[in-house]
Amino acid sequence: MSLEIKAVKTRAELKKFVRFYTELYKNNQQVAIPLHMDELATLSSKNPAMEHCEMQLFLAIEDGKIVGRIACIVNKHECEKEKQQVGRFGWFDFVDKPEVSEALMATAIDWFQKRNIIKVHGPFGFTDLDRQGMLIEGFEEVSTFATIYNYKYYQQHIESLGFKKQTDWLEYKIFAKGGSFERVQKISDFVAHKYQLNEVKLHSKRDLKRYISKVFQLLNICYQDLYGYVALTEKQMKHYADMFLFLVKLDFLSLIENKDGELIGFGIAMPSFSQATQKAKGKIAPLGWYHLIKAMKKNDTLDLYLLAVLPEYQNKGVNAMIMSKIMNSALKFGIEQAESNIELEDNKKVQQMWRLFEHEQHKRRRCYYKNLVS
């Protein structure tokens, strides 16, 4: 048998790169298959991140069949922020053969070293809004649309390649029922009155468009010190807005303003698309749209995507206002449980919020690193 590592150079090869994940997980019931059109847009020149990022994709091919893939990324803005030459790897998927993962990573490291990179970490995408983190706990749980699902053997492979833990992200399941939710509502009412805060009333997505820039600017402020976060440019903000706006349901969006009309906090949630993308197999046509729209109308789980509050308003209960709006809407639609997005293990401020609800921490994913110079 012959194993070849091939650089992706054509559109046809890029499509094969994207579709490999769907093929690898076609019989898995926990995975949320990414939409192929989103992946193609992210990994092509259409992605505005390419203005300040260098990328190379590689495929592992054994006897004419694709058996693995990896993306190598150098984000110049990240290097400037970290004041060192750091690289990212992502889209690292492979069959359970050590020679495949070893050959892919060896090729990736060679690519990084030719660019004077001294440290590699991942799995990461281009930004914090791309999927990141290798799942190491919670393999029996259904993945969310915003996160990576991977097989258990990945951890053994990457650690055998000399990668070490950089940090972990945690995920929680939250239950919106019982007396705990009444407590959240009381806190919300108190905070709104004390600090003169208001929930923005949106009647259509046209109304929402006026706030999109403010939402991303707030995200840049609130997330700037989080591990791995790189500030979004204006073009990237528009890119992500165009990609996900059609999926946003206003009932599950909370925007909080102060008395001066300044946006000081927001929360975005969506009905779970995990089962819908499994059925769609990553494709929008011919029935992918149907499965996504059906998931938006009828669902038993809510996925919490993003939540941010200006630093000067943190620890004042604004999170309760945001969650009160979102969970109230969830209950109206018959949804009584939610999945958090990933949260850094040392982000105690966010984790404290879940104490207001019945909850359980049920998944853990890891960022790995390897120094390329001694």
Side-chain angles (χ1 to χ4, degrees):
M1 295 189 297
S2 62
L3 178 64
E4 174 192 8
I5 306 301
K6 183 177 181 180
V8 172
K9 297 180 179 179
T10 68
R11 179 73 175 179
E13 290 170 341
L14 176 58
K15 289 181 178 179
K16 292 179 181 179
F17 183 95
V18 167
R19 291 168 183 167
F20 171 70
Y21 186 83
T22 304
E23 178 65 22
L24 186 62
Y25 288 89
K26 64 182 179 181
N27 297 320
N28 186 279
Q29 300 301 309
Q30 284 74 41
V31 67
I33 300 292
L35 295 177
H36 292 173
M37 70 173 189
D38 289 346
E39 293 284 86
L40 289 170
T42 298
L43 296 169
S44 72
S45 58
K46 294 180 181 180
N47 188 344
M50 297 302 182
E51 293 184 357
H52 56 270
C53 292
E54 185 179 2
M55 178 196 75
Q56 181 60 60
L57 309 177
F58 293 100
L59 287 169
I61 303 173
E62 186 177 66
D63 296 332
K65 181 180 179 180
I66 297 174
V67 291
R69 67 177 187 174
I70 193 169
C72 306
I73 301 168
V74 177
N75 187 321
K76 296 177 182 178
H77 290 177
E78 179 178 39
C79 294
E80 292 169 0
K81 177 184 176 182
E82 299 298 322
K83 296 181 174 59
Q84 63 175 339
Q85 289 297 101
V86 59
R88 299 177 160 214
F89 71 89
W91 287 269
F92 188 34
D93 299 287
F94 42 85
V95 298
D96 191 10
K97 291 184 177 182
E99 60 269 26
V100 174
S101 57
E102 182 178 355
L104 279 167
M105 189 56 75
T107 303
I109 287 176
D110 180 67
W111 186 89
F112 283 121
Q113 288 179 323
K114 288 178 179 177
R115 286 152 183 80
N116 299 315
I117 299 301
I118 65 172
K119 174 185 175 181
V120 175
H121 63 161
F124 272 122
F126 297 91
T127 77
D128 203 57
L129 298 185
D130 295 326
R131 296 172 179 85
Q132 57 194 28
M134 182 175 290
L135 188 68
I136 62 170
E137 293 177 10
F139 298 98
E140 71 286 355
E141 302 286 345
V142 176
S143 181
T144 65
F145 185 55
T147 57
I148 298 169
Y149 183 86
N150 55 262
Y151 290 123
K152 194 172 184 178
Y153 63 78
Y154 280 39
Q155 183 177 4
Q156 181 180 352
H157 281 242
I158 196 165
E159 291 178 0
S160 70
L161 294 172
F163 281 79
K164 299 179 180 179
K165 172 187 173 180
Q166 177 76 63
T167 189
D168 281 359
W169 289 278
L170 307 179
E171 294 174 61
Y172 291 81
K173 186 175 290 184
I174 303 101
F175 304 94
K177 57 184 179 180
S180 61
F181 185 68
E182 295 175 4
R183 181 187 175 197
V184 174
Q185 187 64 59
K186 289 180 180 179
I187 295 173
S188 174
D189 294 340
F190 174 79
V191 170
H193 177 74
K194 181 177 181 179
Y195 298 108
Q196 301 181 61
L197 304 178
N198 300 293
E199 174 76 38
V200 177
K201 304 298 182 185
L202 299 174
H203 303 287
S204 68
K205 289 188 178 179
R206 180 177 297 178
D207 293 340
L208 174 59
K209 287 182 178 180
R210 295 187 291 110
Y211 286 88
I212 288 176
S213 179
K214 294 180 180 179
V215 165
F216 283 115
Q217 290 169 8
L218 185 61
L219 191 71
N220 276 345
I221 294 171
C222 298
Y223 283 31
Q224 62 182 327
D225 295 325
L226 296 182
Y227 181 80
Y229 188 80
V230 182
L232 300 173
T233 65
E234 289 290 337
K235 289 184 179 179
Q236 285 178 293
M237 293 177 188
K238 185 179 185 304
H239 171 75
Y240 285 111
D242 291 343
M243 186 180 293
F244 296 113
L245 187 60
F246 81 98
L247 292 174
V248 173
K249 195 176 181 70
L250 297 183
D251 300 275
F252 303 127
L253 173 69
S254 175
L255 303 176
I256 307 297
E257 288 184 336
N258 62 17
K259 61 182 178 63
D260 298 318
E262 299 169 328
L263 186 69
I264 60 97
F266 74 88
I268 300 173
M270 298 182 195
S272 173
F273 295 115
S274 299
Q275 292 184 359
T277 59
Q278 284 180 6
K279 294 175 181 177
K281 295 180 173 58
K283 301 176 182 177
I284 287 296
L287 296 176
W289 285 110
Y290 168 77
H291 295 303
L292 291 173
I293 292 172
K294 184 178 179 182
M296 293 178 70
K297 292 181 177 179
K298 186 177 182 180
N299 217 302
D300 61 2
T301 303
L302 195 67
D303 288 348
L304 306 174
Y305 280 74
L306 290 170
L307 190 150
V309 176
L310 275 179
E312 56 264 39
Y313 283 92
Q314 292 175 8
N315 298 323
K316 293 183 177 180
V318 178
N319 285 350
M321 283 188 69
I322 294 170
M323 290 304 298
S324 177
K325 157 68 188 301
I326 292 174
M327 290 308 211
N328 259 317
S329 295
L331 289 173
K332 290 178 182 178
F333 283 87
I335 299 174
E336 293 191 347
Q337 71 175 24
E339 292 264 358
S340 76
N341 204 342
I342 60 174
E343 303 163 7
L344 287 166
E345 60 183 344
D346 59 356
N347 192 347
K348 303 303 181 184
K349 291 181 180 179
V350 174
Q351 292 159 25
Q352 288 175 355
M353 178 174 62
W354 305 134
R355 297 177 185 177
L356 298 172
F357 301 90
E358 183 182 340
H359 69 280
E360 62 175 296
Q361 188 260 308
H362 64 317
K363 299 176 194 171
R364 180 184 293 266
R365 56 188 66 246
R366 181 159 294 172
C367 174
Y368 286 91
Y369 81 95
K370 186 173 185 176
N371 292 322
L372 304 187
V373 295
S374 56

